Amino acid sequence: MDSRRTYLDYNATSPLRPGVRDVFVDALSCFGNPSSVHTEGRQARALVAKARKQVADLIGGQASDVSFCGSATEALNMVIRAGWDCVITLASEHAAVLEPAKGCGADHYTVGVTPDGLVDLSDLAAALARAGGSGLRTLVCVQAANNETGVLQPIDEVAAICREAGALVLCDAVQVAGKLSFDVTDAGVDFAVISAHKLGGMKGVGAVWARPGLTLAPLVSGGGQEKGLRGGTENVAAIAAFGAAAEIIAGLLETKGGGCHVQEAFETSLLEVTPGGVVVGQRAPRLPNTTCIAVPGRAAETLVIGLDLAGFAVSAGAACSSGKVSRSHVLDAMGLGKELGSGEELSASAIRISWGWETTQDDLDRFISVWSQTVTSSKGYRQVA
Ligand code: PLP
């Protein structure tokens, strides 16, 4: 039996980029507190400063506008909880956006997405009009790429519409960063958030970029770190690793549309062996590393377990937390719920395959063959919570 493991869940988290581990381990010897004035402190501070520049370069910003914190979730909370009168989100945003948007005390409007997963621009215009135009402090949250489907939003178009209406834009760039080139100035956004562990760094580090002149309030105060924005001694080694990962990938990035030939060939092969299979968001621009496929009559959970036993790590398209699969608000927002009209829910049968720098063509070819066997042998539709 083949005991190899093949990891195809890069959108959940990625392995460390080659070279990043060494930077992390070296940085561990630099044990000083970055706030200290002595040599050890200055050495640690220099590592954080270097990483800030590397991360800023990845997204086309200035180092002085980048702040580190404990995760992208924290960074998103920091921006969303900054005292807006109104927060507008896409229905397909990550929970790290939707939950603070609902709980921050601002008026909250949700903008729908099309069956392809793209922002409904007329809905956005209506939400901006309801928000009251430029009289109110309005934040619009729009993700660059969706974690479940890989669908890419037209960020620059959204940002232009928001600017016209006097609203500011927060871009959740967690999934796009490190997969395609993303530039905060070209995108025209006011805030952007990225996460180290999605691009080859460590877990537990995020970064927020704010357009010069915009200020945020700390969620965690005391200590004055990160210019007072995020209290608590910095995780210097993980921040250094974040910077290294950012620098390594900056030179390797595809532009929109790049890398799609592998995805196209993969999806063609996948659909050939999946009777009735639907690639979610297939007509929309997408990340070149992500395929979300729904298989009528099959429960995603069963497929994930079958594939795991066969050596392949993938996710259910539906949100998975604490090892339990629950309904996907993203697929529901795209109308994949009761698509089949027979009581079966397509969204409950969606699997996300996401690959990255360690994936070979052979891995994808072997996946197709194991997938074909798994889909054929799995049976039974099971409703998820
Ligand atoms: N936003 C998106 C689109 C994500 O995919 C994730 C992680 O899954 C997050 C935000 C949260 O990132 P972190 O794990 O750094 O909190």
Side-chain angles (χ1 to χ4, degrees):
M1 202 178 120
D2 193 347
S3 59
R4 251 182 304 184
R5 293 287 308 164
T6 304
Y7 185 76
L8 297 176
D9 202 13
Y10 275 67
N11 288 11
T13 194
S14 67
L16 290 183
R17 283 259 173 195
V20 170
R21 184 187 304 267
D22 290 346
V23 171
F24 177 73
V25 172
D26 286 352
L28 289 174
S29 343
C30 191
F31 61 87
N33 185 325
S35 299
S36 301
V37 292
H38 47 59
T39 303
E40 287 78 359
R42 285 202 310 275
Q43 284 167 346
R45 194 151 65 247
L47 286 185
V48 174
K50 180 176 177 191
R52 203 184 304 284
K53 167 95 173 70
Q54 289 165 318
V55 167
D57 285 349
L58 177 68
I59 56 173
Q62 295 296 318
S64 51
D65 303 323
V66 170
S67 306
F68 292 114
C69 61
S71 63
T73 300
E74 183 186 328
L76 291 162
N77 268 266
M78 207 189 291
V79 182
I80 294 167
R81 294 181 186 277
W84 307 96
D85 296 313
C86 179
V87 175
I88 296 174
T89 58
L90 294 197
S92 57
E93 292 295 311
H94 193 274
V97 167
L98 292 179
E99 285 189 25
K102 281 177 201 147
C104 68
D107 290 343
H108 176 219
Y109 301 121
T110 306
V111 171
V113 294
T114 66
D116 292 326
L118 291 166
V119 52
D120 180 334
L121 290 174
S122 56
D123 214 9
L124 173 64
L128 285 165
R130 279 177 73 198
S134 52
L136 291 176
R137 289 189 76 229
T138 299
L139 178 73
V140 177
C141 307
V142 57
Q143 58 191 186
N146 185 268
N147 46 304
E148 293 181 30
T149 62
V151 168
L152 300 168
Q153 298 298 342
I155 297 293
D156 45 354
E157 208 176 331
V158 169
I161 293 169
C162 294
R163 218 173 12 255
E164 185 75 13
L168 299 192
V169 176
L170 161 62
C171 179
D172 175 350
V174 166
Q175 290 294 342
V176 84
K179 295 183 182 125
L180 292 174
S181 59
F182 172 79
D183 183 296
V184 286
T185 310
D186 292 349
V189 298
D190 301 287
F191 303 97
V193 164
I194 67 173
S195 178
H197 75 103
K198 307 283 185 178
L199 49 80
M202 319 287 298
K203 290 156 190 65
V205 199
V208 56
W209 171 88
R211 187 162 55 75
L214 295 175
T215 47
L216 289 167
L219 283 184
V220 181
S221 56
Q225 288 86 355
E226 296 299 287
K227 291 195 211 144
L229 192 57
R230 211 276 187 164
T233 305
E234 298 88 338
N235 187 348
V236 176
I239 289 173
F242 189 5
E247 183 173 292
I248 291 164
I249 50 174
L252 306 171
L253 290 177
E254 305 267 13
T255 45
K256 204 163 163 178
C260 286
H261 51 284
V262 173
Q263 184 182 42
E264 271 166 32
F266 176 69
E267 291 178 354
T268 303
S269 307
L270 200 57
L271 289 172
E272 269 166 22
V273 296
T274 316
V278 175
V279 172
V280 182
Q282 195 173 21
R283 290 174 305 184
R286 278 177 301 142
L287 290 173
N289 80 317
T290 308
T291 293
C292 179
I293 182 165
V295 197
R298 297 291 184 276
E301 229 175 332
T302 314
L303 293 173
V304 169
I305 293 166
L307 290 163
D308 188 40
L309 290 173
F312 288 86
V314 299
S315 279
C320 188
S321 61
S322 317
K324 193 170 162 287
V325 180
S326 55
R327 290 188 70 88
S328 160
H329 69 279
V330 175
L331 303 180
D332 280 351
M334 293 170 73
L336 241 80
K338 294 247 163 45
E339 175 115 329
L340 298 180
S342 60
E344 291 185 355
E345 300 212 16
L346 212 49
S347 69
S349 67
I351 295 291
R352 176 187 70 192
I353 304 127
S354 52
W355 55 92
W357 52 91
E358 285 185 354
T359 313
T360 61
Q361 186 59 52
D362 179 58
D363 292 334
L364 295 179
D365 294 344
R366 285 184 304 104
F367 177 80
I368 299 283
S369 118
V370 167
W371 167 264
S372 168
Q373 292 156 25
T374 310
V375 166
T376 315
S377 60
S378 76
K379 57 179 171 8
Y381 167 76
R382 231 181 94 213
Q383 186 109 25
V384 293

